[in-house]
Amino acid sequence: MNHLVENLKQIQNEIPKETILVAVSKTKPVEEIQILFDAGQLDFGENKVQELVEKQPVLSKEIRWHLIGHLQKNKVKYIAPFVHLIHSVDSEDLLKEINKQALKQERIILCLLQIKIADEDSKFGMEQEEAQRILATYETNFPFVKIVGLMGMATFTEDENQIRNEFRRLKIFYEKLKTTHGFTTLSMGMSDDYKIALEEGSNMVRVGSKIFGARNYN
Ligand SMILES: *Cc1c(COP(=O)(O)O)cnc(C)c1O
């Protein structure tokens, strides 16, 4: 078996059946995505619009593409025709633009609100109060987007307790909103912390290097 497929199967065996595994293919060639697709993987994540729009046309239309990285408003139009789920909605302005482009495409775009849970400044995301404010009104203002849940990235640290606490806090917030807003998706956990994330109630993990190997940015 191809080593990428082996890695994929190993992770699938470790996670509950109902958990969605998003294979994060950023910086990796379409040939590798194809191998995983042929092995049955349908969900792939990219963090750059440019890279996503280059890969999408040459691969199967069955692939569900997840935009997981920071999204600039002026780039929404490029992914609006096909994106399956945008994990990184971090402002109302961005949501407004997604709604506009979704309307043009005559489709509803699924989104997650990215909540700031890490104590690092570098991580994007909004505060809980901002998320609640948006959720209270968006259905009337932005009928072409549907917010189906939340995403969060824990602090990059060796301290497992800190990571666990950050995920736990997001899960509590998710539970508070879930019923009222019809949430289905809590996206938390990457290669180094998805096990902790699953223990803390994640149902969607975004795994890159543990499937594809280390990334080379040169
Ligand atoms: C790159 C990335 C991942 C995957 O990271 P790995 O550590 O390689 O699993 C997950 N989520 C986001 C938002 C990313 O940018």
Side-chain angles (χ1 to χ4, degrees):
M1 205 190 294
N2 178 281
H3 72 282
L4 298 181
V5 177
E6 259 174 56
N7 294 344
L8 179 75
K9 300 279 174 209
Q10 194 191 322
I11 295 166
Q12 273 168 346
N13 283 337
E14 284 172 7
I15 68 180
K17 258 205 316 293
E18 55 290 355
T19 303
I20 295 176
L21 171 59
V22 178
V24 177
S25 47
K26 61 191 189 198
T27 79
K28 300 297 177 180
V30 289
E31 290 75 16
E32 297 191 356
I33 299 173
Q34 183 68 46
I35 288 169
L36 293 172
F37 174 77
D38 291 339
Q41 176 66 23
L42 291 179
D43 292 277
F44 290 90
E46 291 283 340
N47 70 336
K48 292 210 166 73
V49 168
Q50 171 85 29
E51 204 177 328
L52 180 48
V53 299
E54 283 169 16
K55 288 173 174 175
Q56 188 268 341
V58 300
L59 288 156
S60 169
K61 297 297 167 279
E62 278 178 61
I63 289 182
R64 296 188 288 252
W65 289 105
H66 298 245
L67 197 283
I68 60 173
H70 180 65
L71 177 57
Q72 286 173 301
K73 272 186 291 175
N74 60 358
K75 297 199 172 153
V76 175
K77 57 178 176 288
Y78 302 115
I79 59 168
F82 65 86
V83 70
H84 172 67
L85 178 63
I86 300 174
H87 292 228
S88 43
V89 175
D90 57 3
S91 75
E92 189 166 19
D93 264 8
L94 177 58
L95 201 63
K96 183 177 176 186
E97 178 62 18
I98 297 170
N99 181 69
K100 182 176 153 193
Q101 299 301 332
L103 165 62
K104 275 194 193 164
Q105 298 297 328
E106 299 181 52
R107 63 186 296 246
I108 287 175
I109 297 183
L110 305 181
C111 296
L112 304 177
L113 296 181
Q114 182 173 353
I115 308 297
K116 189 172 156 57
I117 57 171
D119 64 7
E120 298 158 290
D121 292 333
S122 62
K123 297 272 160 74
F124 292 102
M126 59 177 76
E127 301 294 336
Q128 293 189 359
E129 293 69 27
E130 173 77 349
Q132 274 175 305
R133 198 180 61 73
I134 292 172
L135 284 162
T137 54
Y138 91 95
E139 279 158 317
T140 345
N141 298 343
F142 310 132
F144 290 88
V145 296
K146 176 143 185 61
I147 300 171
V148 295
L150 306 174
M151 187 271 251
M153 284 170 86
T155 304
F156 186 70
T157 172
E158 300 278 282
D159 185 350
E160 242 191 71
N161 265 323
Q162 181 175 354
I163 296 169
R164 189 177 293 283
N165 284 332
E166 290 172 358
F167 286 151
R168 189 167 294 177
R169 191 162 156 258
L170 186 57
K171 166 71 169 172
I172 290 168
F173 186 52
Y174 175 81
E175 284 300 324
K176 188 166 143 187
L177 304 169
K178 188 178 159 185
T179 317
T180 319
H181 298 289
F183 281 0
T184 56
T185 307
L186 179 56
S187 168
M188 52 184 204
M190 314 178 15
S191 289
D192 289 336
D193 59 19
Y194 71 89
K195 286 176 196 166
I196 304 173
L198 288 170
E199 284 165 9
E200 297 304 327
S202 165
N203 63 14
M204 182 177 278
V205 293
R206 311 175 308 272
V207 180
S209 44
K210 237 197 142 189
I211 297 173
F212 290 94
R215 283 178 294 273
N216 182 353
Y217 284 99
N218 299 319

